[in-house]
Amino acid sequence: MTNFIKQIVHKSFILSAVVPPSPRITATKFNLFKKVAIKEFGALTTSSTCHNVQPHTFNVLKDVMEHDTSSPSFMVGYDNGFLPRWDPMVQLPDKFYALEYLLQKMSIQLPNGKPGLLANGELGEAVKDLPLYDIKDIFDQRLLSALFRDYTFLASAYLLEPCDIMFREKKDYGLGRQILPKNIAVPLVEVAKKLGAFPFMEYALSYSLYNYRRVDPSKPIVYSNLNLIREFSGISSEKGFILVHVTMVANSPSLVRWTMETLDSVEKNDRSRFNNSLSKLNETMILINTEMKTMWERSNPDDYLKFRTFIMGSKNQPMFPKGVIYEGVSEEPLFYRGESGANDSMIPCMDNLLQITSKLPKNPLTEVLKDFRRYRPINHKEFLDFVQRHAEKVDVRGFATQDANSTALYLANLDKIIAFRYRHWNFTKEYIIKNTTHPVATGGSPIVTWLPNQLLTILEQISQIYKTIDYSQLTPENKILIDELIAKADNKKRVLNGDVKILKEKFSPESQKHVVV
């Protein structure tokens, strides 16, 4: 299939996720486009939640197709995991000089130490001179991804600039700008449609995973070899906050590989291979958690509020009580969640594989979690949907608990998910709760109760599964492992419940009830 036809088919199919097919395209032609897209691209299909597409397998990329710019930047692969197929485009082409110039002059502190446009509230005026770029004829996915990153950065900076100024002066956010001007809104929405994304800043598509550059392109994605492309504050702690997420996700190729191996080994009733896959998943999660620990040294908790304002959303935030009008796009206000690490795909992958997602309580907090999981690249959503469906179909948890030693390995992986989420909870306490009484996280979730909702679910699962283990069948090593896991789980449950009780007294009960799904 030629690149030209690929572009037509891919564009038609991806746009179907966010807009209905054109009246000029008959149902027969549209379905033909869709069939060709599925046959040609496999994993490029939109999320099954949109089209009830439920493939029995998922075509994980074996080759990142580095020179193929007609396929999405984000496609789950054995070499790139949940990172983009290629390193992000660092600088926009000359055609977009004015946009590039604004972004380079935007941050509160520029690389040369001088104040940028956001330092004294000068961005709003500067945006008036930005041309209304026409991007309808752009299909290069690498450029589209860069434009999405850059327009979302500019949109967030513009909308939240007054809030940042007020917070620096009065420790209160006040109101953001309620209208996004058409020279940002129109191209942003157009790019978002082409990518099948929401027209607002996202974790993968803009703020974190498409916002790094390698100092030496020939060297691996490790912290010492990375710099930011875009930033709001210009301070080193923002660099650390963003790039630690990138280096964590650099371990995701192994997570993807052993997720697929786990599913396949259950389907083929291969106990030895299943145990090996769980062991490898556990090792991978240890690497991810180890990298996560470096956040403490690379991003000072006392600095977080200096750039946090700009990653707030327009949904469930007091700065945008009536949402945001996208000028030239919609006369009705639009609401979108802010950027959040909850949009990352690694923990949802583990949740789905180990069948934790289906155990989450049916409450508004879980509905918020589901909403968060819509804010990610289409191909990531499709992969996570596949993992959840297939894990339920073959019953990964049931297969694990048929054997005592497999159960130990299964619980070891649950323990690593708890370690990840518990550290996230500790970050929340030290980076946010210690320094502000604002009751809502950047993504719009209630700050005191949301993470404990997920944590307590997994802690309870460990307790339940522990009771079913036949100790006589465990190896000596796994007996020690199980005893350690259950002791840690019990302790974390006590501490977490104590934290929530104390913090609910700091944050008014009314603010914690304010959950918008």
Side-chain angles (χ1 to χ4, degrees):
M1 181 178 280
T2 66
N3 279 338
F4 176 72
I5 296 176
K6 277 186 179 181
Q7 290 169 7
I8 294 174
V9 172
H10 179 256
K11 181 189 176 190
S12 301
F13 193 60
I14 293 301
L15 282 178
S16 71
V18 287
V19 294
S22 166
R24 292 178 294 176
I25 301 176
T26 66
T28 302
K29 286 182 179 178
F30 181 71
N31 287 331
L32 177 60
F33 271 144
K34 190 158 69 173
K35 287 178 181 177
V36 173
I38 293 171
K39 179 179 178 182
E40 178 65 24
F41 300 112
L44 291 183
T45 59
T46 54
S47 172
S48 60
T49 57
C50 295
H51 293 287
N52 291 320
V53 176
Q54 297 189 353
H56 296 295
T57 188
F58 185 92
N59 295 328
V60 177
L61 289 182
K62 296 179 176 65
D63 178 356
V64 295
M65 306 183 299
E66 185 178 353
H67 302 293
D68 177 6
T69 59
S70 63
S71 301
S73 299
F74 285 90
M75 297 175 67
V76 180
Y78 289 125
D79 289 331
N80 61 298
F82 295 122
L83 288 174
R85 294 188 292 116
W86 44 51
D87 282 358
M89 180 181 287
V90 174
Q91 187 167 320
L92 296 175
D94 290 343
K95 173 184 175 181
F96 298 99
Y97 170 80
L99 176 58
E100 178 69 36
Y101 179 83
L102 267 181
L103 290 161
Q104 289 193 13
K105 297 296 182 181
M106 185 178 77
S107 61
I108 294 172
Q109 178 179 295
L110 299 177
N112 61 10
K114 294 182 179 180
L117 294 171
L118 288 173
N120 299 304
E122 298 171 337
L123 180 67
E125 188 65 27
V127 160
K128 294 179 180 178
D129 296 326
L130 179 69
L132 175 54
Y133 287 112
D134 182 0
I135 53 98
K136 288 186 176 65
D137 295 330
I138 296 176
F139 301 103
D140 183 306
Q141 291 290 315
R142 193 173 184 189
L143 176 54
L144 286 172
S145 297
L147 285 169
F148 183 81
R149 174 197 66 212
D150 292 348
Y151 272 114
T152 56
F153 256 85
L154 185 59
S156 290
Y158 177 85
L159 293 172
L160 289 154
E161 181 179 41
C163 300
D164 177 66
I165 295 290
M166 179 171 280
F167 187 80
R168 280 188 269 154
E169 293 176 353
K170 301 180 180 180
K171 300 303 176 186
D172 184 25
Y173 290 110
L175 294 177
R177 293 188 172 108
Q178 309 297 299
I179 299 175
L180 188 64
K182 63 182 178 181
N183 56 355
I184 301 176
V186 171
L188 171 55
V189 169
E190 182 67 25
V191 173
K193 285 182 179 179
K194 287 173 180 280
L195 297 180
F198 293 110
F200 207 82
M201 176 168 283
E202 289 190 16
Y203 167 84
L205 287 164
S206 44
Y207 189 62
S208 290
L209 304 190
Y210 207 78
N211 191 28
Y212 68 89
R213 64 179 179 86
R214 298 193 218 202
V215 177
D216 183 342
S218 67
K219 292 182 179 179
I221 297 176
V222 294
Y223 190 82
S224 60
N225 192 39
L226 298 179
N227 271 327
L228 288 178
I229 299 173
R230 308 297 184 205
E231 52 194 319
F232 292 115
S233 67
I235 61 176
S236 61
S237 285
E238 185 179 16
K239 172 187 173 181
F241 180 75
I242 294 174
L243 294 182
V244 165
H245 287 89
V246 176
T247 55
M248 286 162 58
V249 181
N251 291 289
S252 63
S254 292
L255 196 72
V256 170
R257 179 174 299 279
W258 297 111
T259 291
M260 296 299 282
E261 284 284 312
T262 299
L263 291 170
D264 194 54
S265 62
V266 177
E267 192 161 33
K268 293 177 179 175
N269 196 31
D270 189 333
R271 178 69 58 186
S272 176
R273 187 175 163 212
F274 176 73
N275 288 350
N276 181 64
S277 298
L278 289 184
S279 293
K280 295 296 184 181
L281 277 172
N282 193 54
E283 291 172 9
T284 302
M285 285 300 300
I286 289 172
L287 292 174
I288 292 168
N289 282 328
T290 299
E291 193 63 34
M292 189 181 188
K293 289 179 186 177
T294 65
M295 181 70 77
W296 297 111
E297 63 191 72
R298 293 170 178 167
S299 186
N300 188 332
D302 293 336
D303 288 339
Y304 181 55
L305 297 188
K306 295 176 183 177
F307 54 88
R308 182 188 183 226
T309 305
F310 295 108
I311 55 177
M312 300 282 192
S314 59
K315 185 173 184 176
N316 196 23
Q317 291 288 4
M319 298 89 86
F320 302 102
K322 297 181 180 179
V324 174
I325 299 289
Y326 280 51
E327 191 178 50
V329 175
S330 172
E331 295 181 0
E332 296 296 320
L334 302 175
F335 298 83
Y336 298 107
R337 292 201 177 277
E339 188 280 335
S340 171
N343 305 137
D344 188 72
S345 293
M346 295 188 297
I347 293 301
C349 177
M350 292 294 287
D351 280 350
N352 289 355
L353 176 67
L354 303 179
Q355 296 175 262
I356 293 300
T357 304
S358 60
K359 304 296 182 184
L360 289 167
K362 298 185 186 306
N363 61 26
L365 296 170
T366 297
E367 292 304 309
V368 169
L369 178 65
K370 291 178 181 178
D371 196 32
F372 269 129
R373 293 183 176 182
R374 299 191 302 142
Y375 288 74
R376 54 171 47 97
I378 285 177
N379 189 250
H380 286 196
K381 286 186 281 191
E382 189 65 40
F383 176 72
L384 296 176
D385 288 346
F386 161 75
V387 171
Q388 183 173 7
R389 287 194 311 273
H390 207 62
E392 296 286 343
K393 176 187 173 184
V394 301
D395 193 10
V396 170
R397 172 176 166 145
F399 188 75
T401 54
Q402 290 170 11
D403 178 272
N405 292 295
S406 293
T407 303
L409 292 168
Y410 177 90
L411 291 181
N413 277 282
L414 290 190
D415 175 68
K416 300 307 177 294
I417 299 175
I418 290 170
F420 185 102
R421 282 196 163 111
Y422 204 82
R423 188 169 292 109
H424 189 182
W425 173 243
N426 284 333
F427 286 160
T428 299
K429 290 189 295 181
E430 287 297 314
Y431 283 75
I432 305 171
I433 293 174
K434 184 178 177 181
N435 297 307
T436 179
T437 56
H438 188 68
V440 186
T442 56
S445 58
I447 205 157
V448 170
T449 53
W450 189 72
L451 277 171
N453 183 65
Q454 286 82 261
L455 263 169
L456 289 169
T457 297
I458 306 180
L459 288 165
E460 183 58 34
Q461 289 302 305
I462 284 188
S463 298
Q464 288 181 16
I465 295 171
Y466 166 72
K467 296 172 185 177
T468 69
I469 297 173
D470 181 353
Y471 258 65
S472 66
Q473 301 299 314
L474 288 172
T475 64
E477 294 82 0
N478 281 338
K479 285 180 181 178
I480 296 172
L481 173 64
I482 291 295
D483 289 341
E484 290 177 348
L485 292 182
I486 195 64
K488 280 198 295 181
D490 287 343
N491 182 59
K492 280 186 167 65
K493 192 185 300 184
R494 284 194 301 273
V495 174
L496 185 62
N497 282 324
D499 283 346
V500 172
K501 182 178 179 180
I502 292 170
L503 291 172
K504 278 184 174 179
E505 295 174 2
K506 176 179 179 179
F507 293 84
S508 69
E510 192 61 34
S511 70
Q512 291 305 299
K513 292 178 182 177
H514 186 50
V515 178
V516 177
V517 179

